[in-house]
Amino acid sequence: MYVYCNIVLTHSQTKRIDDFDDNDDESDDDTAELLAELQAIKKERREEELRQEAEKKAEEEKIRNENLLSGNPLLNYQTQSYKVKRRWDDDVVFKNCAKGEDSKGQHFINDTIRSEFHKKFMSKYIK
């Protein structure tokens, strides 16, 4: 029997403690392997994050360029139509009712031979 810290141990119990000390060297090796694996995983995650960030920036840049090109009507060839836009009142039934009719006889012409009076006079009396 051995006495450790005021605890009485049997021979089988001390053998298990000695085995634990042997496993300590193996556990150091295991710990080193686990730490190396942990570092590799962290590195992979960093690379993945950087790749995703680069993809996100590229997508944002692509969207920004598309918005710039589609925002300018002179550069927007796909949706540009050369049709004249219709006014809101083009299909109204009573269009131009407020305008007075132009009577064709009321235009003043300074030439006496081409005036409306002369034309009426000639058609009435000379025919």
Side-chain angles (χ1 to χ4, degrees):
M1 271 199 220
Y2 297 99
V3 177
Y4 288 113
C5 301
N6 297 330
I7 299 175
V8 178
L9 299 174
T10 63
H11 181 61
S12 63
Q13 290 174 338
T14 57
K15 187 175 182 182
R16 279 189 257 152
I17 290 175
D18 291 339
D19 289 342
F20 181 73
D21 290 340
D22 291 339
N23 289 337
D24 193 31
D25 293 334
E26 292 176 14
S27 68
D28 288 341
D29 294 339
D30 291 342
T31 305
E33 289 177 22
L34 289 174
L35 287 176
E37 243 183 273
L38 179 65
Q39 293 301 325
I41 291 172
K42 284 182 180 180
K43 183 179 177 183
E44 288 175 8
R45 285 184 182 170
R46 266 189 260 121
E47 289 173 355
E48 180 69 21
E49 287 175 2
L50 291 174
R51 186 185 58 78
Q52 286 178 354
E53 186 176 325
E55 286 177 2
K56 185 177 178 183
K57 283 183 181 181
E59 184 68 26
E60 287 175 356
E61 185 67 23
K62 181 181 174 185
I63 291 171
R64 184 174 135 323
N65 285 338
E66 288 176 3
N67 288 340
L68 287 175
L69 290 176
S70 66
N72 188 349
L74 297 175
L75 296 176
N76 193 3
Y77 296 116
Q78 291 97 10
T79 60
Q80 186 175 7
S81 64
Y82 294 104
K83 259 201 251 183
V84 177
K85 290 184 180 178
R86 291 183 51 185
R87 289 183 43 146
W88 66 271
D89 64 344
D90 280 348
D91 56 347
V92 177
V93 176
F94 301 105
K95 188 175 178 181
N96 297 327
C97 287
K99 291 183 179 180
E101 291 184 20
D102 289 340
S103 58
K104 295 181 181 176
Q106 299 210 4
H107 294 289
F108 178 74
I109 298 175
N110 202 10
D111 188 5
T112 56
I113 295 175
R114 291 185 310 144
S115 69
E116 289 290 303
F117 174 77
H118 181 70
K119 288 179 185 177
K120 284 182 187 176
F121 179 80
M122 292 302 282
S123 67
K124 186 176 183 181
Y125 294 108
I126 302 298
K127 264 188 178 182

